[in-house]
Structure formats: structure tokens, C-alpha cells
Amino acid sequence: MNLPVILRARRAIGKLTPIPADCGRLCGARCCHGGKNDGVLLLPGEEKLLFLSPGLEKGKSENGRSYAFCRGKCVRRFRPFLCRIYPLGILLRGERILVTADPRAKRTCPLLLAPEYLSPAFIGAVRRAGEILKGDPEGRAFLRDLTKELRDYHRFIG
Ligand code: SF4
Ligand code: SF4
């Protein structure tokens, strides 16, 4: 994916966070513990930006998708796109972008126990980022794969 598209999607989230406070203080930043099995999926081409955050290492899955692995630290303003939208996920249904809870976050993130406290501005920004990705052929393909993955997780995790 072109870097300008990736940057636009990242910028759509900007400084918005799931709640208007440092939620990491609620839970001890559970989603940022890092570890060799805790990679975050990257947008296609996003690996080119990893050099901006020295804490991040690139890895590949068996099916060739790129991941970033961290040890619980990164340069926050350069964190990967999917870290920015956590604990939410983006679904592509036909032409519609839907924002949903990421089923993988349900066991980790206390915010999903009380989703009514999630910031509407954050949810809206995640939707706008989804629209930006949808407008790019590779971004669209990424969203299709992500939708399938989130649905599969939903079937198993609930
Ligand atoms: S697990 Fe949820 S509450 Fe904790 S830091 Fe991550 S997003 Fe915030
Ligand atoms: S890359 Fe940064 S934001 Fe993402 S999980 Fe690691 S420490 Fe957290």
C-alpha cells in the first residue's frame, strides 16, 4: 500500500484514544506487554515505517503477512495502525465499514466490559480510517482478510 494512504489512515486516529484518559493505568497496559508471540499485524507496506520506532522488530507469518513484535515499548507516535485502533476492529461488509470490538481483545481489555464508555470520537475516527483503507485496493484486500479473521475469532471466542 502506498505510504501516503497508510499515513492518512494513521492520522485519522491522530491522538484519539479509546477513552479520554490513559486507559493503560486501568489495567497495567495489558495490551502492550509484548513478547515473542505477541505480534501485531501490519498494514501492507507499513513495515517500511518500523525504522521510526526502534523498539519494533519485523516478523512474517507462514502466509507471508508482516507483523511487528515489540517488547512492550515503542515510540508511541509511530506505533502500528492496529495498535492505534485497539481494542476495536474494522469489518468490511459489502461497501460498508463497520466498527466492532476485536474479539481477541475481549479477554484482555477491560474497556470491552463497559463499551458504553468508549469515546464516540475514537469510534468515529476508526470508521474514517476504515473508509480510507477501503479506498485503496490493497487496503481493501487487507480489510477483507481482517474481516474474515475477526469473524473466525468471533466464532471461537464469542
Ligand atoms: S488493554 Fe484496553 S484498557 Fe488496557 S491499555 Fe490496552 S486498550 Fe487500554
Ligand atoms: S507496538 Fe507499541 S502500542 Fe503496539 S503493542 Fe507494542 S508497545 Fe503497545
Side-chain angles (χ1 to χ4, degrees):
M1 200 186 311
N2 287 335
L3 284 183
V5 180
I6 297 171
L7 293 173
R8 275 178 57 220
R10 283 182 171 198
R11 274 194 224 112
I13 310 298
K15 292 189 176 169
L16 290 169
T17 50
I19 56 171
D22 180 0
C23 57
R25 295 180 71 180
L26 284 177
C27 70
R30 277 189 211 160
C31 59
C32 286
H33 280 178
K36 62 181 166 54
N37 297 318
D38 290 333
V40 58
L41 181 63
L42 296 170
L43 297 174
E46 197 176 20
E47 66 276 5
K48 290 181 205 133
L49 297 170
L50 289 190
F51 76 95
L52 292 167
S53 189
L56 300 183
E57 284 169 26
K58 183 181 153 184
K60 282 236 183 239
S61 67
E62 283 170 7
N63 59 8
R65 296 201 294 174
S66 293
Y67 283 79
F69 292 89
C70 71
R71 296 195 177 87
K73 282 205 173 116
C74 66
V75 179
R76 185 171 170 76
R77 69 181 190 280
F78 298 128
R79 69 198 187 285
F81 176 75
L82 286 187
C83 293
R84 291 164 198 250
I85 70 169
Y86 190 90
L88 300 182
I90 301 173
L91 304 178
L92 180 63
R93 287 235 177 102
E95 286 304 307
R96 287 180 66 208
I97 289 292
L98 301 176
V99 176
T100 182
D102 186 324
R104 293 166 293 189
K106 285 187 179 167
R107 291 189 180 154
T108 313
C109 179
L111 297 180
L112 295 183
L113 297 173
E116 66 274 21
Y117 288 108
L118 289 172
S119 152
F122 177 70
I123 297 170
V126 174
R127 182 172 291 110
R128 282 194 297 283
E131 294 288 351
I132 291 167
L133 295 177
K134 186 182 88 175
D136 177 273
E138 282 185 86
R140 200 181 177 87
F142 175 87
L143 287 181
R144 261 193 239 114
D145 290 346
L146 184 65
T147 301
K148 181 174 179 319
E149 194 172 317
L150 294 181
R151 277 202 190 127
D152 288 347
Y153 274 110
H154 184 70
R155 283 175 55 212
F156 288 107
I157 298 174

